[in-house]
Amino acid sequence: MKIDKTLILRLEKLAQLELGQEEKLTLEHDLNKILDMVDKMNELDTSEIEPLKHISKEVNQLRPDEIRNQVDAKAALSNAPDHNGVHFKVPKVIPKP
Amino acid sequence: MPKYSKLTSIQNDLLSANLSCAELVEHYLSNIEKSQSLNVYIEVFEAEAREKASALDAKLKEGVEKPGRLFGMVISIKDVLCYEGHEVTGGSKILTGFKSLYSATAIERLLAEDAIIIGRVNCDEFAMGSANENSYYGPTINALGENKVPGGSSGASAVSVQTDTCLAAIGSDTGGSVRQPAAFCGIIGMKPTYGRISRYGLLAYASSFDQIGTLTNSVEDAAILLEVMAGADEFDSTVSRQSVKPYAGLKSESKKRKIAYFKNTIESDQLDSTIQSATFDYIEKLKAEGHEVRGLDFEYLDYLIPAYYVLTTAEASSNLSRYDGVRFGYRSADTRSLAETYRKSRTEGFGDEVKRRIMLGTFVLSSGHYDAYYTKAQKVRRMISDNIQEVFKNYDFIVMPVTPDVAWSIGENDADPIKTYLADVYTVLANMAGIPAISFPLGVKDGMPFGIQVMSPAFQEDQLLNFIFTQHQ
């Protein structure tokens, strides 16, 4: 697999990042090198192997669906970059012309 | 004041009134002052530590209320652990000014046993790095070498113990982030079994790998900290409910063990020759003590790093999507739309290495590449994990070097991220398989320390700690 400029643009969009021209070039170079290293995995035949998804062997422990561990609005908003005391404030979803 | 290397010595002196908690805290605060040029602490909780020390001294003097098990233990916490009312930033610009609304379960448990938290220390941004060079707050420097890295990502945690600014440090280990800096700084680093300590309140990097660990001068301190922090927690659904063993009750044992090492990890030309011969000497010493030690071949050595980086970057890209400049943390000024707020806040808030890993993680999870990379890596992880379980059917422990070489100079590996990634080869195995591992000092090359690590099957930290304790007697 080769990472090219088009793919970098797509990943940038998916990851919600906005990289500079030079940053894009460096990343293209770095990611290609990393993928060359990662492609080593293809030497292993994994056709009969189940993916390992959970490291813990314990099964889920369920609890009653009760509201607990809540914070009030003041605390919840205390780290917000912008708020009006009740809500988080963000710029308009549709940009200004 | 002499350097204390274990809690029991401090507690003996406190109980015989040769020492007060206040004096102890002043001693550490003055060492923090002296080591400022190493860039260890992001924030020192000076007033609080003094207050807590006086309260503890009063408690000890009155003798009415029994002090907690960790009275006299002064610790530093890595900047990825939540402590109510205190800032936690993950060494990142994107969390500057963020104050935690609650404490991590591990921190709660330490405080409940009268530990004193003296400050919050530097680390690689969101624990991504092996040299503590990727921090918004600048690099931390190893006290043992001029301009040498302390390792990472819990680099400053290691230096905080190394320079006697606290007795122990609480870090986190996703691929070696506790053991590698411990080896580079000449102290003991313990990564417990995955799920042994609750991850509630630990900033998430790669959730199926992350584990809280300790950096200490003694095995005894590692053991008691584990005993205090470990165990079930209703706020972490992945934490184990297995009972917590009395780890702190360490005993010197005469038991003869079956120990494996992987020949290709030690015979590799990637391993520095001084570390190589010291590792062989250690193996000979184990044999001389009567243990059965065998060299095996580990056929997956070259696949560890590839699978590790695919899985951890995938998990990181997902975990770090929460940083969007809306509810907390850094928000870019002057954006004209919500979408732009997301993009600009993230772009300006994250450092280069974090962006690199988010991009790689986004790639391996993207449609069309998911199976070839992410699922493939999960399968490789199973093969590696099964192979290690197989080894443990016949052996009690596995011994392995911690690092291919001693600490490098700051900036040396900047141009080549792969070179730094490959240096994790010996430490990622324990995280891939979810098993516990402890690294401890083995020798010194050109003034810089290196270590060795011992791994055991999952949830056998008691065996592991006793074995290493015996070795150190």
Side-chain angles (χ1 to χ4, degrees), chain A residues 18 30 50 58 68 79, chain B residues 99 234 240 347 356 382:
Chain A
E18 200 174 282
D30 287 351
E50 274 298 302
E58 292 173 41
R68 288 194 273 173
N79 281 303
Chain B
K99 263 196 188 150
E234 63 170 329
S240 172
T347 304
R356 181 153 48 220
R382 173 161 324 260

Side-chain angles (χ1 to χ4, degrees), chain B residues 141-346:
Chain B
I141 302 160
N142 192 324
L144 286 172
E146 209 173 310
N147 214 32
K148 293 287 184 194
V149 301
S153 64
S154 311
S157 303
V159 182
S160 74
V161 174
Q162 182 191 45
T163 51
D164 197 28
T165 67
C166 55
L167 183 66
I170 309 298
S172 64
D173 191 316
T174 303
S177 283
V178 155
R179 289 160 287 148
Q180 184 254 24
F184 277 5
C185 293
I187 58 173
I188 295 170
M190 174 177 65
K191 182 205 94 77
T193 307
Y194 178 77
R196 182 67 293 188
I197 299 173
S198 166
R199 289 182 296 112
Y200 181 69
L202 169 68
L203 302 191
Y205 159 20
S207 308
S208 77
F209 293 79
D210 295 344
Q211 185 54 218
I212 290 173
T214 56
L215 299 102
T216 57
N217 287 302
S218 68
V219 187
E220 291 96 313
D221 289 354
I224 192 162
L225 285 169
L226 179 65
E227 196 176 313
V228 168
M229 292 190 288
D233 175 24
E234 63 170 329
F235 298 128
D236 177 2
S237 63
T238 62
V239 77
S240 172
R241 296 183 298 277
Q242 285 198 33
S243 63
V244 174
K245 293 174 185 165
Y247 304 115
L250 294 167
K251 282 185 294 287
S252 204
E253 54 182 27
S254 54
K255 223 185 256 181
K256 300 302 169 209
R257 299 293 198 165
K258 292 176 83 174
I259 300 164
Y261 67 91
F262 296 129
K263 285 185 275 184
N264 50 343
T265 61
I266 306 174
E267 284 159 10
S268 160
D269 55 6
Q270 302 296 311
L271 181 65
D272 171 80
S273 60
T274 309
I275 301 183
Q276 186 178 54
S277 63
T279 305
F280 278 125
D281 289 350
Y282 178 70
I283 288 168
E284 288 311 313
K285 178 179 155 268
L286 290 175
K287 285 181 185 163
E289 285 166 2
H291 303 292
E292 186 187 327
V293 192
R294 289 266 165 83
L296 310 177
D297 285 310
F298 179 53
E299 55 183 311
Y300 299 109
L301 184 63
D302 294 341
Y303 307 100
L304 282 171
I305 296 287
Y308 171 79
Y309 274 95
V310 168
L311 294 171
T312 51
T313 55
E315 293 184 24
S317 75
S318 167
N319 274 328
L320 270 58
S321 64
R322 74 192 62 176
Y323 302 107
D324 58 9
V326 172
R327 291 149 299 148
F328 47 77
Y330 172 81
R331 178 186 293 183
S332 176
D334 255 358
T335 56
R336 296 182 313 130
S337 71
L338 183 59
E340 206 183 343
T341 298
Y342 294 154
R343 282 199 308 273
K344 288 221 158 111
S345 303
R346 289 167 63 78

Side-chain angles (χ1 to χ4, degrees), chain A residues 55-68:
Chain A
I55 304 309
S56 166
K57 290 187 175 60
E58 292 173 41
V59 286
N60 285 341
Q61 190 178 29
L62 303 175
R63 63 165 175 81
D65 187 14
E66 294 160 351
I67 296 174
R68 288 194 273 173

Side-chain angles (χ1 to χ4, degrees), chain A residues 22-71:
Chain A
E22 201 158 317
E23 237 179 329
K24 281 197 184 70
L25 282 174
T26 315
L27 258 171
E28 191 184 322
H29 171 81
D30 287 351
L31 291 189
N32 274 315
K33 276 182 77 174
I34 295 170
L35 287 189
D36 282 346
M37 168 190 88
V38 161
D39 281 338
K40 180 96 187 151
M41 289 192 303
N42 294 326
E43 292 173 13
L44 292 174
D45 176 11
T46 53
S47 52
E48 303 292 314
I49 309 284
E50 274 298 302
L52 179 57
K53 294 179 178 171
H54 301 288
I55 304 309
S56 166
K57 290 187 175 60
E58 292 173 41
V59 286
N60 285 341
Q61 190 178 29
L62 303 175
R63 63 165 175 81
D65 187 14
E66 294 160 351
I67 296 174
R68 288 194 273 173
N69 203 28
Q70 299 287 295
V71 294

